[in-house]
Amino acid sequence: MTKGLTQAVSMKQILDLVRDDLKRVEAAIGLETVGSVSAIKTISHHMHSAGGKRLRPILVLLSSRLVKSSSQTTDEAIQLAAVVELIHTSTLVHDDVIDEAKTRRGAPSANALWGNQMSVLAGDWLYMQAFQIAMRQRNFAILDLLIGLTQVMVEGEFLQMERLGKIDISETDYMELVDRKTASLFSACCRLGAMAGNASEEDCARLGDFAWNLGMAFQMIDDILDFTSKETILGKPVGNDLAEGKVTLPLLYALTETTREETRSIETILKDRSYERVPFSRVLEIIEKYRGVERAQERAVQFTGRARQIIETFPDSAYRKAVLTIADIVTDRDR
């Protein structure tokens, strides 16, 4: 069985566990994104209908089920799953504006269709709508978590902008950015699901730690795929990160060993924000020469290994198996 087919089977098994719940989440999102201003409704619908893995709401739902003795998913878990997907969508809208992206998941980005100003406002509205839903839970612990998450993610965006175009990025710098921009949201998803399942603080913390490690690995694989995948699979141009001025893990590892001439080639791309003078194929040669992709994959596997260790401390169940499967899929995916 091929890797792609294996992943499809595994993901189908996971979706079978939460399919009905995801339908409720989708319905909640559809209901909550009907704004009184037509532009908001149009942009929200565009972003929501673009698809996506729905991995973050799935983590909320699975975490809630994992810690509950009942197989029933609470309304709180459904609402919080909608919250994290709306927050994620709002960050995508804002990221595309900041990165001046033209596509998202193979379709025109919101800013390409409606411009930066309307897109920023739509992203703000989606984010505030997420908090409106969260407020209805009347739970200060949930609000504290979401406010802290927001601060961390915004700080991550600032850090990324400060480092754009810089070649002297350390592995510590990179890990800090991934922590703030990706892993923190993954961690919040599982903590929120556990809270909705009335888990102990210890279990909430353990699930949060699991998901943080999962999020770190997820972003590393994303950064690998930016070099190794195809535009038709990624839904955006390959090599896009470097062309936007971002030095990610595969290239970062290679740069620890490059010759002066090779380093100058990368500096040229960062300065030009394009591959006009130095082709993308040259970057791939450099990364391959110094095993940048392999080393980044090994690092990602270390994080999913830690994630697996944590989740295996929970009692065996279909939901624990599903979460373990997600950890496998994250490091073995091709999109």
Side-chain angles (χ1 to χ4, degrees):
M1 188 180 290
T2 65
K3 181 175 77 171
L5 185 56
T6 302
Q7 288 183 1
V9 171
S10 298
M11 202 61 207
K12 181 183 181 301
Q13 292 169 340
I14 293 169
L15 289 172
D16 285 344
L17 286 174
V18 295
R19 193 176 306 279
D20 291 340
D21 291 339
L22 269 181
K23 288 178 182 178
R24 292 170 63 191
V25 173
E26 297 287 340
I29 292 172
L31 185 65
E32 297 290 350
T33 53
V34 179
S36 58
V37 179
S38 60
I40 292 173
K41 181 179 180 181
T42 302
I43 296 174
S44 299
H45 178 73
H46 173 77
M47 292 298 297
H48 186 57
S49 62
K53 307 173 189 68
R54 300 293 190 260
L55 180 55
R56 291 152 191 85
I58 287 173
L59 286 173
V60 175
L61 297 171
L62 289 177
S63 297
S64 174
R65 292 283 195 95
L66 183 68
V67 298
K68 278 176 63 67
S69 56
S70 167
S71 62
Q72 291 292 321
T73 302
T74 63
D75 287 339
E76 184 179 31
I78 298 297
Q79 295 299 308
L80 292 177
V83 166
V84 298
E85 186 63 16
L86 286 174
I87 289 176
H88 176 54
T89 302
S90 73
T91 63
L92 296 183
V93 175
H94 287 152
D95 282 353
D96 285 347
V97 170
I98 292 168
D99 297 339
E100 299 180 359
K102 301 302 179 188
T103 58
R104 165 67 63 182
R105 294 168 181 159
S109 60
N111 50 299
L113 293 173
W114 291 282
N116 288 344
Q117 292 175 324
M118 289 184 70
S119 296
V120 168
L121 290 173
D124 291 346
W125 188 90
L126 286 169
Y127 175 76
M128 293 313 300
Q129 192 65 11
F131 259 77
Q132 185 85 271
I133 301 169
M135 282 284 292
R136 293 178 202 145
Q137 308 310 312
R138 296 295 188 264
N139 187 324
F140 282 116
I142 288 172
L143 294 176
D144 282 345
L145 178 60
L146 291 174
I147 290 168
L149 169 68
T150 302
Q151 290 176 319
V152 164
M153 293 177 73
V154 172
E155 287 166 1
E157 200 63 60
F158 273 113
L159 285 175
Q160 180 168 278
M161 292 177 70
E162 288 174 0
R163 294 169 184 170
L164 283 180
K166 294 182 179 179
I167 199 168
D168 56 338
I169 302 297
S170 69
E171 185 173 357
T172 300
D173 292 335
Y174 172 83
M175 295 298 175
E176 179 186 26
L177 198 58
V178 175
D179 166 30
R180 291 174 182 273
K181 286 192 57 103
T182 304
S184 58
L185 178 55
F186 272 63
S187 179
C189 289
C190 282
R191 285 189 69 98
L192 288 168
M195 292 163 74
N198 295 315
S200 66
E201 179 52 40
E202 179 188 354
D203 284 350
C204 288
R206 275 196 296 160
L207 279 167
D209 193 17
F210 154 78
W212 182 87
N213 282 276
L214 186 72
M216 293 293 289
F218 182 91
Q219 187 59 55
M220 289 174 197
I221 298 300
D222 249 19
D223 293 340
I224 290 169
L225 292 174
D226 189 63
F227 290 111
T228 62
S229 191
K230 298 178 181 178
E231 183 169 348
T232 52
I233 294 175
L234 280 182
K236 62 178 182 178
V238 291
N240 199 54
D241 289 340
L242 183 58
E244 290 175 351
K246 303 169 188 173
V247 174
T248 56
L249 198 59
L251 182 57
L252 189 155
Y253 280 148
L255 284 167
T256 63
E257 300 183 48
T258 48
T259 65
R260 183 60 196 140
E261 183 274 327
E262 290 166 339
T263 303
R264 278 198 295 266
S265 295
I266 303 302
E267 287 174 334
T268 298
I269 297 168
L270 290 171
K271 180 181 178 182
D272 294 351
R273 296 288 203 275
S274 76
Y275 296 108
E276 288 185 13
R277 288 197 288 167
V278 178
F280 181 57
S281 58
R282 177 60 178 146
V283 180
L284 294 180
E285 288 173 5
I286 293 170
I287 291 175
E288 183 177 359
K289 178 180 177 181
Y290 298 107
R291 296 185 62 252
V293 166
E294 290 86 353
R295 290 159 70 185
Q297 285 174 329
E298 289 165 5
R299 194 73 175 97
V301 168
Q302 289 176 3
F303 279 99
T304 50
R306 174 57 183 153
R308 290 182 63 88
Q309 288 176 350
I310 295 167
I311 212 67
E312 284 171 353
T313 63
F314 286 88
D316 188 26
S317 69
Y319 303 105
R320 193 188 82 161
K321 287 186 178 71
V323 173
L324 282 169
T325 300
I326 289 176
D328 292 336
I329 290 173
V330 160
T331 46
D332 201 34
R333 64 197 170 97
D334 56 8
R335 63 186 66 196

